Amino acid sequence: MNTKQTAARHLNQLVFYILLICVIGLTAWLSTRYSQTIDVSFGQRNTLTEPTQQLLKSLDEPVNFIAYLSDDKTELQAGMRKLVAKYQQFKPDTTLEIIDPNLNPVRAKADNVLSEGRVLIQLGDRSEKLSSVDESTVANTLQRLLRNAVPRIIVLEGHQERSPFDNTSSGLSKLRERLADRGFRLQPHAILKTQSIPDDSSFVLIASPRTPYLPTEAEVIKQYLKDGGNLLWLTEPDTIAGLEPVLEQLGLRTLKGTLLDGNQALQDMLGIKHPAVIPVIQYEHPLLKDMQSPTLFPFAGVIEVNPETITNWQYSPMLITGESSWLESGELTGEVTPDYAAGDKPGPLSIGMSLSREANDKQQRVIVLGDSDFMLNQFIGAGNGGNLELSNKLFDWLSQSDDLLKIKTARAPDTELKMLGNSLNVLAIVFLFGLPLLLVIIGTVRWWIRRRR
């Protein structure tokens, strides 16, 4: 090979290596600008569901997650980054902001964050605190923010009703705080001051008044219902408080007496100390069909359809007591047992009724419950959170927010080993006893052979 051929060969090699380095560098540069993620997990559980993807693509404003986590919570911060990355895959302008509330108390106070671990989600200039950061909660929160309307609940007052601003055990302040985190606004209202009910509210809440309404006030409520307003009415046994005309307009009636439950085994499991605390563990109403936690109702009353009244309402019992319950017509003294010959009424009985009808080109909705105690501060967390879950569903349905996305939490079925029959027992015997015994035998045989040598 002459000198020219050698130089040409070296030049070709040099050009090749230069081009190879350029290709590698260009590939590395492109990888920092563009990325492609493929979810190969079972059921694509690490990818957002199709409804959430479509929701994100429909948003014109950026989404910002604000997580209040201290700097030492590295694992939680990593989890938030992994979560937000799922949303950035379909909406690139999604951002995550991690704030240490100890180092930035002014920002935490401005966002009304009182404790570490809270997460806020912002859509444009609107924001809402998240009760959890699962996909369903985030999607529903985005839909509420997208509506750009805060559900306003009119809470009637002036007759010793339960107050959402009462911090004592008999108040509703804890429920109000949780509803505020979900975007609801509760506004006190006295009919006597305005002689009317605002018609631009989501619904009206009557929380167990203890002094009677005036007949003229009852007429205002009747007119509100006639005009198509939604209503949540919490009553107590034998306490209608002058609203009998409203009850008649709704075609309902209450029964006198005290609801009791005789399922002692269930009471022991739930920690119930009094038979007048009624547990509900089965739900057949469409609004509550996905509920799993029990709900507890202290000293509840019976609400049922009045067969003597004809209306255009559609009725659906919401909460049904168990087979072992009954309505006690006598006094609660000593050991109480049902006496149906004396007027007691056997269960199951309804302690809640939902009503609906078409009015003014929309569906009008009303819920009447025979108990208000389940929403109180001392009971809202009862039933492993069942009372709070029920309250949330009631407020969602009455504010027409029950049509939010129903997204099931992604599960990981491929991480569970399911074996039929005694297969698992056989494997346990083989690996826990058979395999170690085999190794001992092999070792013993090897030792015996070597000893004979």
Side-chain angles (χ1 to χ4, degrees), residues 9-208:
R9 180 171 176 273
H10 290 164
L11 180 61
N12 290 337
Q13 291 179 341
L14 179 61
V15 171
F16 170 78
Y17 288 123
I18 291 175
L19 292 176
L20 179 62
I21 293 174
C22 291
V23 169
I24 294 175
L26 182 61
T27 303
W29 179 81
L30 290 174
S31 68
T32 62
R33 298 297 188 275
Y34 307 97
S35 62
Q36 182 66 36
T37 302
I38 301 176
D39 187 359
V40 296
S41 61
F42 185 92
Q44 287 73 51
R45 62 178 178 270
N46 293 316
T47 304
L48 298 177
T49 59
E50 183 64 27
T52 303
Q53 296 178 25
Q54 297 299 325
L55 173 63
L56 292 174
K57 293 175 182 178
S58 68
L59 299 178
D60 297 328
E61 299 175 291
V63 177
N64 182 30
F65 289 82
I66 304 175
Y68 280 88
L69 299 170
S70 57
D71 293 339
D72 58 339
K73 299 295 191 300
T74 54
E75 293 185 2
L76 293 178
Q77 292 184 11
M80 281 300 303
R81 293 188 180 94
K82 182 178 179 181
L83 171 72
V84 174
K86 296 181 181 180
Y87 293 85
Q88 292 173 333
Q89 181 179 359
F90 302 97
K91 187 171 177 56
D93 57 352
T94 301
T95 60
L96 170 63
E97 188 177 0
I98 298 178
I99 300 175
D100 189 335
N102 301 315
L103 301 179
N104 198 344
V106 177
R107 175 68 181 277
K109 184 177 180 180
D111 288 337
N112 196 25
V113 174
L114 304 179
S115 59
E116 185 180 357
R118 303 307 299 268
V119 177
L120 277 72
I121 186 169
Q122 287 183 337
L123 180 64
D125 57 353
R126 304 176 299 281
S127 65
E128 185 176 326
K129 294 180 186 176
L130 301 182
S131 56
S132 61
V133 288
D134 58 87
E135 182 180 346
S136 178
T137 301
V138 172
N140 289 338
T141 301
L142 287 174
Q143 287 182 99
R144 285 194 294 269
L145 296 175
L146 188 62
R147 290 178 178 181
N148 198 22
V150 177
R152 184 167 65 121
I153 315 305
I154 299 299
V155 183
L156 296 187
E157 63 177 8
H159 299 275
Q160 299 183 19
E161 294 91 347
R162 307 289 193 183
S163 173
F165 302 94
D166 183 0
N167 296 321
T168 66
S169 60
S170 60
L172 303 174
S173 59
K174 290 184 179 179
L175 175 63
R176 175 182 57 82
E177 293 170 359
R178 284 156 179 77
L179 290 173
D181 291 343
R182 301 181 64 240
F184 289 91
R185 181 165 63 93
L186 276 64
Q187 176 181 321
H189 181 80
I191 295 179
L192 286 178
K193 292 182 179 180
T194 62
Q195 302 84 50
S196 63
I197 296 176
D199 56 3
D200 58 345
S201 59
S202 295
F203 65 91
V204 168
L205 170 62
I206 304 177
S208 182

Side-chain angles (χ1 to χ4, degrees), residues 273-295:
K273 305 299 183 182
H274 198 286
V277 178
I278 306 299
V280 176
I281 59 176
Q282 294 183 342
Y283 309 93
E284 297 181 0
H285 193 279
L287 176 64
L288 311 178
K289 60 184 179 181
D290 60 338
M291 282 192 61
Q292 301 294 330
S293 301
T295 48

Side-chain angles (χ1 to χ4, degrees), residues 21 47 53 58 80 161 181 212 306 319 371 380 384-385 405 445 449:
I21 293 174
T47 304
Q53 296 178 25
S58 68
M80 281 300 303
E161 294 91 347
D181 291 343
N306 188 348
L319 301 163
D371 181 55
I380 192 64
N384 196 27
L405 288 177
V445 172
I449 294 175

